Amino acid sequence: MSAEPTSSPPAGRRPAPDPPRPTPPAGGTPGALVRWCLDVINSHDAASLRQAYAPGVRARFPMRTVRGADELVAWWASVFAAVPDLTMTIEGMAEQGEGRSGEVFLRWRLTGHHTGGDWEGIAPSGARLDLDGMDHFVVEDGHVASNFVVFDQMQFARQIGLLPADGSRLDVGLRTAFNALTRRRTRRG
């Protein structure tokens, strides 16, 4: 493959600071918008996601609720920083509605390595992530108005080492100690 020759812009004109950002599908269905969002997430372009969000979007994640397009774009930027090789794959999808409004249910798989920055206050563990989860999107007039995200936080905590491996000696010990404490509290009444 040969390199294209470069030239300077004509006098008086400056080159654009950044290439144009991708745009959501015009007049597309809610499902097409969600697929576009996953493509943009996989390209790690948090800023482009803003185009898909309603100004007052509300996203409920297992760790916290994020409100507004600016906060949601910042949240995605922090996730991309924490998991630099993050990839999301659509495992299943169902949509209902007409035109540019409706609901989308999405089952997904997220893979990557927690090697970048903190994720929700958890320092980079270097661990490999392989999570499955579900989203419920509400799309109004071609924009995501709300998103409810569910994934197994215990699975996540075990993968990054925040919780011990299932069935390990430490796991069994923690369960035994917890059960003893619970029985003690129950007896006190």
Side-chain angles (χ1 to χ4, degrees):
M1 186 179 275
S2 63
E4 292 284 324
T6 58
S7 61
S8 3
R13 297 179 75 192
R14 296 189 322 205
D18 293 312
R21 301 235 183 248
T23 56
T29 65
L33 179 65
V34 169
R35 280 187 201 89
W36 179 86
C37 286
L38 266 284
D39 288 343
V40 173
I41 287 167
N42 286 330
S43 73
H44 296 203
D45 185 359
S48 286
L49 287 169
R50 181 183 320 279
Q51 299 171 76
Y53 301 141
V57 64
R58 179 178 179 266
R60 185 177 176 278
F61 297 100
M63 296 79 109
R64 66 183 168 124
T65 299
V66 177
R67 290 178 175 82
D70 291 340
E71 192 175 337
L72 192 50
V73 166
W75 184 87
W76 274 111
S78 72
V79 171
F80 299 149
V83 185
D85 60 344
L86 178 140
T87 300
M88 290 188 77
T89 306
I90 295 173
E91 299 287 324
M93 182 177 185
E95 70 177 295
Q96 67 179 21
E98 294 191 20
R100 295 170 26 104
S101 297
E103 296 179 59
V104 178
F105 292 88
L106 179 70
R107 189 171 57 84
W108 49 261
R109 180 176 179 199
L110 179 150
T111 57
H113 294 82
H114 186 213
T115 57
D118 289 3
W119 187 354
E120 296 292 338
I122 299 170
S125 63
R128 182 178 193 304
L129 299 173
D130 190 349
L131 304 170
D132 50 1
M134 294 179 283
D135 281 37
H136 170 235
F137 293 89
V138 175
V139 177
E140 295 174 354
D141 195 27
H143 291 91
V144 175
S146 70
N147 186 19
F148 180 71
V149 182
V150 178
F151 66 88
D152 185 342
Q153 284 197 273
M154 187 172 275
Q155 176 191 30
F156 170 73
R158 288 186 193 283
Q159 287 182 13
I160 65 167
L162 185 62
L163 288 177
D166 190 31
S168 68
R169 289 179 67 184
L170 184 54
D171 181 53
V172 171
L174 283 171
R175 289 175 199 239
T176 301
F178 177 80
N179 288 338
L181 182 61
T182 300
R183 286 186 203 96
R184 185 175 175 200
R185 286 180 182 156
T186 303
R187 278 187 242 133
R188 283 192 205 167

